[in-house]
Each structure stands twice: as structure tokens, then as C-alpha cells.
Amino acid sequence: MSFKIEHRVGVQAAPDVLWDLVSDLSGWEAWNPLYPRAAGKLAIGSKLDVTLALPGGKPEPIAPIVVDWVPHMQLVWRLRLMGGLLRTVRYMEIEPLDEGRASVFSHGEMFEGPAAMFMPKALRKRIKAGFIAMSEALQAEAHRRAGR
């Protein structure tokens, strides 16, 4: 079984503003409630050092591997948990709108593996709430930086 959780938000800022926020991993602590700490290099195969803070949960370290990134467009990482019984692919995408004056930020995670079918609905709801919180925080920070 596999499933996906995602969220999208419109942002009144150029894609470059959003990319600056997404690609500056060390700056996540200033605005990102879902990942309050992140470090590493954006390079294919690079291991990142990230803290995941789901709403209502204890922050925990994760070590995703970058599988793809395209400047000003996307960041994709994979994560293996529980000895590979749960595998995820996390993506963050930026889509330009209005001739580059606005953007859509889409992000989500695809879950697969034998343990995916046993993921409780309550945990899925917390993940979705974390994605919404991250979207809203990114939107607010991007608007602030764009002078909106």
C-alpha cells in the first residue's frame, strides 16, 4: 500500500523569494515550524540533518537523502524508516504564476512499504497539519520579504 499527503498554497511573491527560503536550510529555524532545524548541502546523494517537529509530537532527528533538486523549482528527498519497512519521498515544488510575480508552493510526501498500511489516521492528520503550518509560515515569510 502507498499513499500521499500534500498541501498547496498561493504566494504573492516571485519564485526566487520562495527558493531562497527553501534552499537556505540553515535559515529554516527562523520560519519553519515543521523542520525547525536543518543542515546539509543541496546535492544529489547528499545526506541532510533535519529535525522533524510534527504538531503534538516530540521533535526528532531525520536523515533524508537528496534525490533531486532544481534551483528555483524543486527539492526532493527520500527517507527510509523502520529498517526500510516505511519509505518516503518528500517533495517541495515552486510554480511561477502571473509572469513570475506570484507562485504556488506545493509540497507533500509519498509513503510506501509494508508499514505504510499501518500508519494511524491520527498520525496522518498530524502530518497534514504540519504541512499546512509549514505552508502558512513560508507564505507569511515570503510576503514579508516581498514587502506585502
Side-chain angles (χ1 to χ4, degrees):
M1 178 185 167
S2 64
F3 64 92
K4 176 171 65 170
I5 300 172
E6 65 183 344
H7 191 258
R8 295 169 51 96
V9 66
V11 182
Q12 293 298 312
D16 291 351
V17 174
L18 275 64
W19 180 251
D20 287 347
L21 290 166
V22 169
S23 65
D24 178 16
L25 299 178
S26 64
W28 284 12
E29 67 184 42
W31 64 269
N32 193 335
L34 184 59
Y35 302 110
R37 192 183 72 68
K41 181 179 178 182
L42 292 185
I44 294 174
S46 177
K47 186 176 184 179
L48 304 179
D49 180 16
V50 179
T51 297
L52 171 65
L54 289 175
K58 179 182 167 188
E60 60 182 281
I62 59 173
I65 305 295
V66 176
V67 294
D68 196 14
W69 69 281
V70 179
H72 309 281
M73 291 179 64
Q74 74 175 3
L75 169 60
V76 182
W77 73 49
R78 70 174 163 77
L79 186 62
R80 295 173 55 89
L81 302 165
M82 300 170 18
L85 293 174
L86 179 63
R87 298 175 304 279
T88 74
V89 174
R90 177 81 165 98
Y91 62 91
M92 299 173 207
E93 299 175 334
I94 300 164
E95 178 184 345
L97 295 174
D98 193 22
E99 298 179 13
R101 294 186 295 263
S103 308
V104 172
F105 177 69
S106 304
H107 64 125
E109 198 156 7
M110 294 171 279
F111 298 83
E112 62 180 25
M117 67 193 311
F118 299 109
M119 185 178 287
K121 287 184 181 181
L123 178 56
R124 293 179 194 203
K125 287 181 180 180
R126 288 179 42 223
I127 293 168
K128 178 73 171 204
F131 287 1
I132 292 168
M134 180 177 165
S135 293
E136 291 173 349
L138 180 130
Q139 181 187 54
E141 182 62 17
H143 286 172
R144 186 188 71 74
R145 290 186 184 195
R148 304 217 186 265

